[in-house]
Amino acid sequence: MRTQTEVRAFLRSAAAFVALGIILYVGLYAVAEWLVYQRADRNRFFMVRTAPSVEYDYVILGASHAAVFDFDEMNRRLEEMTGARILNLAVVGAGVGVNRLLLDYFLADHRAGAIVYVVDSFAFYSAEWNERRLADARLFQRAPFDPALAGLLLRSGAPVSVVADYVSGFSKINNPDRFGADRPAEGARFDRRYRAVDQIDRQRVEYLYPAAIDDEAQRNLQRYLGEFEGLVAGARSRGLRVVLVRPPLPPRTRALIPGEAGFDAALTALAGRTGAELHDLSGAIEDPAMYFDSDHLNRSGVTQLFERHLAGILGRPTL
């Protein structure tokens, strides 16, 4: 049996080993956090945390069809057209949960005159774009540590494992792209003109949408529309103008999407109940040369949308 002296020596060694491990981990965490501030650019939580202004006229939310409004210098161009201060927080593949988290995080320390939500129907039919997207630790790999965000994550319904990962910085420390440029992959194709390929168009719609609007899809639709109505009603209760925009899509793509008439009717009813503005621009740009793939506007398409439609809808600043 070990003597008490041996036990104490072992415990001292173990404590020193643990302390060294903690010191090393804290050091790695500090370096990873420093790298976030050096390399992060388009991570939306980083943008909120480092926003140069407390007040914005418009905050843009949505998924990838809204994210293109922020590619290259497009956000600046929209600001010039409207005379407004605009912050784009749209996240590729993001449903209601992610957008609500971002909006709540923004409104914790900032103010806005209006919310512009670019509404894609695909985000209302599956947990893939909602709970599972919120559970994706990659969303937070370049999010600076902020106790306020940790608290919002706990209340958002995100898995405890994701909250723990964010607080501990594990994914941030182990991010293989920690030194890489923080730019969306789609941005590299922003100047391309897409040549329609039926098979690619069908595969794109099949990836985003259920094969048919069956009972499960209907249940998901009602659930996420309810959550979305809560987001809109909450913004309206704060006195914010809420602008809902259905984004442009090529006619060939729109024809492949199931259940659009029913979704549009539900969205119109929701806008009526909450006092939100609804602008259907789904057919506003039909020229395939204005898209860089099956459904995303390229630089020329975004410019045309801004000039002919969005700048006029937004109008002058509201703050």
Side-chain angles (χ1 to χ4, degrees):
M1 295 182 63
R2 294 182 178 180
T3 65
Q4 289 185 353
T5 300
E6 291 174 328
V7 171
R8 284 196 294 269
F10 171 78
L11 291 176
R12 284 195 298 271
S13 297
F17 180 80
V18 171
L20 178 61
I22 292 174
I23 291 170
L24 289 173
Y25 193 89
V26 170
L28 289 171
Y29 196 127
V31 171
E33 192 74 6
W34 178 80
L35 282 172
V36 163
Y37 281 92
Q38 298 302 310
R39 307 299 296 180
D41 185 12
R42 310 321 295 166
N43 179 280
R44 300 318 197 187
F45 299 101
F46 175 83
M47 291 176 67
V48 172
R49 180 67 166 166
T50 61
S53 176
V54 172
E55 295 185 351
Y56 285 84
D57 298 295
Y58 299 103
V59 173
I60 297 177
L61 300 171
S64 59
H65 292 134
V68 297
F69 298 171
D70 192 32
F71 284 0
D72 290 347
E73 82 289 354
M74 300 312 297
N75 192 75
R76 178 183 59 79
R77 292 190 65 180
L78 185 58
E79 288 182 322
E80 291 172 352
M81 290 179 190
T82 59
R85 183 172 289 158
I86 301 170
L87 185 65
N88 191 318
L89 298 179
V91 175
V92 174
V96 180
V98 174
N99 281 286
R100 183 161 198 164
L101 174 63
L102 277 162
L103 179 59
D104 288 344
Y105 186 42
F106 172 85
L107 292 175
D109 291 308
H110 302 79
R111 294 188 296 278
I115 303 300
V116 180
Y117 200 119
V118 180
V119 185
D120 284 298
S121 57
F122 78 86
F124 292 81
Y125 289 117
S126 172
E128 184 70 28
W129 318 110
N130 292 281
E131 288 86 352
R132 292 177 205 151
R133 194 72 178 95
L134 196 58
D136 186 354
R138 290 174 296 181
L139 278 176
F140 310 100
Q141 282 181 328
R142 282 180 163 159
F145 177 73
D146 185 352
L149 178 55
L152 286 170
L153 265 174
L154 277 172
R155 296 191 291 274
S156 71
V160 174
S161 59
V162 171
V163 181
D165 182 88
Y166 169 69
V167 172
S168 69
F170 183 81
S171 290
K172 193 180 299 180
I173 292 171
N174 292 281
N175 180 9
D177 297 321
R178 64 179 69 86
F179 298 109
D182 187 17
R183 290 286 180 178
E186 291 87 349
R189 299 181 287 159
F190 195 37
D191 289 303
R192 295 183 183 177
R193 293 187 176 188
Y194 177 65
R195 293 184 178 181
V197 179
D198 289 342
Q199 183 179 0
I200 293 176
D201 293 343
R202 287 195 301 271
Q203 288 175 343
R204 173 68 175 165
V205 171
E206 289 170 359
Y207 169 70
L208 292 172
Y209 290 87
I213 309 304
D214 55 16
D215 289 345
E216 180 181 3
Q218 283 288 354
R219 287 193 297 270
N220 287 333
L221 176 62
Q222 295 307 312
R223 175 184 178 183
Y224 297 127
L225 276 174
E227 293 181 9
F228 185 61
E229 184 163 349
L231 182 155
V232 174
R236 294 288 296 145
S237 70
R238 290 172 175 258
L240 276 65
R241 175 189 175 198
V242 177
V243 181
L244 308 180
V245 176
R246 294 284 274 141
L249 292 171
R252 65 182 187 280
T253 302
R254 292 204 312 271
L256 294 172
I257 298 175
E260 285 293 84
F263 180 84
D264 287 337
L267 188 63
T268 299
L270 185 153
R273 290 193 299 272
T274 58
E277 301 173 30
L278 177 59
H279 301 272
D280 186 357
L281 304 181
S282 58
I285 300 180
E286 299 197 343
D287 184 355
M290 296 292 104
Y291 296 83
F292 69 76
D293 65 7
S294 297
D295 52 289
H296 292 97
L297 292 169
N298 59 21
R299 187 186 307 274
S300 298
V302 172
T303 300
Q304 185 179 119
L305 182 73
F306 284 178
E307 293 176 344
R308 297 185 181 181
H309 302 282
L310 197 58
I313 290 171
L314 299 187
R316 306 307 297 175
T318 53
L319 280 179

